[in-house]
Amino acid sequence: MLIQRSWATPLVAGAFLLSAVTGLLIFFHLDRGWNKPAHEWLGWALIAGALFHIVANFSAFKQHLRQRKGQSLIGLFMLILLLSFAGGGDEKPRFASTVQALAQAPWPLLAQVAQLSPAEVDRRLEAAGLKRQPEQQNLQALVGSDLRQQVTALNAVLAPEQKSADD
């Protein structure tokens, strides 16, 4: 397969446009509908297009790498990429303390917060594949201390139930 600029460049341009617009919408919390999945999944088109574009323009790309400006810019972004992996890895999201407090609340209190009966809390958890044992005094005892598991269980309890077509 011959990689040609005639399709590699428009692929990069179109994928960049999609990625830039959806990225800005996500950054400013203005995304709707399929913006975030399109950004995440169709971002692969930008990666593929960029690789094809580099291959199609390899001699020019090599020229950039021989010049101090090209080396500096690529080096700068490589440094930023490396720094993006440093620090902050143990930070918990701002909502973590709220989730953990709800997960440690006794069952009757969780039911009260959810404005449900304790039996309805149990029913919703069972519908999500979580069966509470009598000795488990709270959600944390049921799912453990993993924040993601606690959020999943709380969503099962707190999310409004979808009405079926029969209702």
Side-chain angles (χ1 to χ4, degrees):
M1 178 176 90
L2 183 61
I3 297 175
Q4 298 176 343
R5 282 186 245 179
S6 62
W7 61 266
T9 301
L11 174 62
V12 170
F16 173 78
L17 178 65
L18 177 122
S19 186
V21 171
T22 56
L24 285 169
L25 290 170
I26 293 166
F27 181 83
F28 289 109
H29 304 286
L30 299 171
D31 56 305
R32 299 287 182 268
W34 293 94
N35 292 151
K36 190 170 188 288
H39 182 79
E40 291 172 345
W41 287 99
L42 297 176
W44 287 101
L46 181 58
I47 293 168
L51 291 173
F52 291 144
H53 187 72
I54 288 170
V55 169
N57 297 285
F58 196 66
S59 60
F61 184 69
K62 286 192 306 187
Q63 276 299 112
H64 288 296
L65 290 178
R66 288 189 190 113
Q67 297 172 2
R68 179 60 100 194
K69 188 189 310 182
Q71 293 169 351
S72 298
L73 285 170
I74 291 173
L76 172 67
F77 283 99
M78 288 176 67
L79 177 63
I80 292 169
L81 174 62
L82 287 173
L83 291 173
S84 74
F85 290 99
D90 294 336
E91 290 180 21
K92 291 185 179 178
R94 287 184 232 164
F95 63 83
S97 58
T98 305
V99 169
Q100 290 169 335
L102 283 171
Q104 293 172 3
W107 291 113
L109 182 58
L110 180 60
Q112 184 178 7
V113 168
Q115 298 179 342
L116 301 170
S117 69
E120 178 63 11
V121 169
D122 286 342
R123 189 195 66 71
R124 288 184 177 198
L125 287 170
E126 282 189 40
L130 299 167
K131 177 117 173 83
R132 179 170 73 97
Q133 301 302 316
E135 68 275 3
Q136 294 169 324
Q137 300 299 311
N138 55 37
L139 203 59
Q140 183 172 325
L142 176 64
V143 298
S145 60
D146 180 69
L147 188 63
R148 287 181 194 261
Q149 294 295 323
Q150 291 176 354
V151 168
T152 299
L154 283 170
N155 280 337
V157 172
L158 299 172
E161 284 197 300
Q162 301 295 324
K163 299 284 183 188
S164 68
D166 299 334
D167 289 341

